[in-house]
Structure formats: C-alpha cells, structure tokens
C-alpha cells in the first residue's frame, strides 16, 4: 500500500528525525533455520542482517522533565504565585504548526534566559466526549515533543497551570538555569 507524499515541512521534520537516529546495537546476523534443501547439500544463502527498529534517542546528557522541583516551587506554582516570563500560545494551531511554534518559542525563551514559560494548549477533552475526538491532541503531544526535542535537557519540569494562568488549558514549563561557564 502506497503512502501519501510528505509536504515540505513534514519532509524536513522527518529528515531531522532520521539524522538523529542511532542504532542501539551494531547490526547482527539473524539466525535462520535451515530449509530441507539446505540440509541435503544445497548451498546456503548468506545470512541477512537485521535492521534495528527506528527509535528516537534521548538527547545527550538529557534529564527528563519530571518531579525535579523542590516543595517551595510546587507550592508557589499551585498557589499561582509564580508569574511566567513568557507565553507560547499553541491554542488553535495544527499539530505540525504547534510543534514548530513550541520549538521556536523554547529556543527564544532559553536565549533570553527565561525560567518559567506559560504554554497555552487549550483544554483537554471532557471525559464524556465521544471518541475519536481531535480536542486535546496538542496537549497530549506536548510531553513527547519536549522529551524528543532539541531542548529536552533545558526543561526541568512541566506542571499544570494555575487557574489565573489558564488552568486546564495551559501548562508551566520550568527551564533549568544555564550551566555556569
């Protein structure tokens, strides 16, 4: 079955993914059970090398966003006492344009030295909504985008936003301090 052609943006993204893939192990020959003809003296075919499955590698020395904040950070975030230094609004974008905007917004925030970003994704789907639904697709993909992105090592944590900053429709991205030089 033939697939659809990739548009230029998708092709560029796919090229970045392919360039970043490194095999987990060197390719090893696959053992093949001999066929009845091979048992009776017919020449055996050369072994076929198996290709490892394409898996996105974690960025070098990347720390995954998670529960890395101390209690005072969590307390201040949950009470809405932290003011984001910048906002990235993905609400209303397609998955492709949202991914690109997130990457560019993170790059600008890191360059400026921001510590807390507000990421507006839109509210997740309601539990009673019929499946399949498109609402919440960006929010569902954000974690994977950040973990697999080029800025994964700079994101210390992802936390839900306080209602004054968007509540269920937004997230806080807490960035690590730049490394001392």
């Amino acid at each position: 079955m033939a697939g659809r052609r990739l548009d230029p943006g998708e092709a560029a993204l796919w090229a970045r993914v392919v360039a970043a893939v490194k095999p987990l192990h060197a390719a090893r020959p696959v053992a093949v059970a001999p066929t009845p003809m091979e048992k009776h003296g017919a020449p055996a075919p050369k072994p076929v090398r198996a290709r490892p499955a394409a898996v996105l590698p974690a960025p070098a020395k990347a720390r995954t966003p998670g529960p890395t904040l101390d209690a005072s950070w969590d307390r201040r975030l949950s009470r809405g006492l932290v003011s984001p230094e910048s906002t990235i609004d993905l609400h209303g974008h397609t998955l492709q344009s949202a991914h690109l905007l997130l990457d560019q917004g993170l790059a600008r925030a890191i360059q400026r030295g921001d510590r807390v970003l507000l990421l507006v994704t839109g509210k997740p789907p309601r539990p009673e909504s019929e499946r399949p639904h498109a609402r919440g697709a960006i929010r569902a993909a954000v974690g994977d985008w950040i973990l697999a992105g080029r800025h994964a090592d700079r994101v210390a944590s992802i936390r839900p936003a306080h209602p004054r900053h968007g509540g269920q429709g937004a997230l806080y991205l807490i960035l690590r301090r730049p490394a001392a030089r």
Side-chain angles (χ1 to χ4, degrees):
M1 177 162 90
R4 68 175 180 84
R5 292 200 180 271
L6 299 177
D7 66 32
E10 291 172 326
L13 181 60
W14 183 248
R16 282 183 43 208
V17 169
V18 170
V21 173
K22 295 178 186 168
L24 295 174
H25 305 284
R28 293 182 222 131
V30 176
V32 179
T35 62
M37 265 181 52
E38 292 170 359
K39 288 181 182 176
H40 299 290
K46 293 183 179 179
V48 178
R49 290 185 172 258
R51 288 186 172 200
V55 177
L56 287 176
K61 297 182 183 178
R63 293 183 242 170
T64 59
T68 60
L69 301 178
D70 61 16
S72 66
W73 263 101
D74 279 328
R75 194 170 27 258
R76 290 174 36 219
L77 288 170
S78 67
R79 292 179 184 168
L81 301 176
V82 174
S83 295
E85 292 143 336
S86 58
T87 301
I88 303 172
D89 190 354
L90 306 179
H91 186 246
H93 284 268
T94 64
L95 284 171
Q96 181 180 356
S97 65
H99 189 191
L100 182 62
L101 188 62
L102 174 62
D103 185 65
Q104 292 170 346
L106 272 170
R108 283 191 301 272
I110 290 167
Q111 187 177 25
R112 284 190 307 262
D114 292 350
R115 215 41 222 291
V116 180
L117 274 73
L118 180 66
L119 182 63
V120 180
T121 61
K123 291 192 176 184
R126 295 182 180 163
E128 68 271 6
S129 68
E130 292 184 27
R131 308 256 189 240
H133 49 70
R135 286 187 69 196
I138 291 174
R139 184 180 181 93
V142 162
D144 293 334
W145 290 344
I146 291 172
L147 289 174
R150 62 186 173 130
H151 305 295
D153 60 334
R154 295 300 311 272
V155 178
S157 189
I158 303 169
R159 294 289 197 268
H162 188 271
R164 84 171 54 146
H165 293 131
Q168 290 183 340
L171 299 166
Y172 294 125
L173 299 182
I174 292 69
L175 301 179
R176 296 183 196 285
R177 288 191 179 112
R181 293 182 189 237

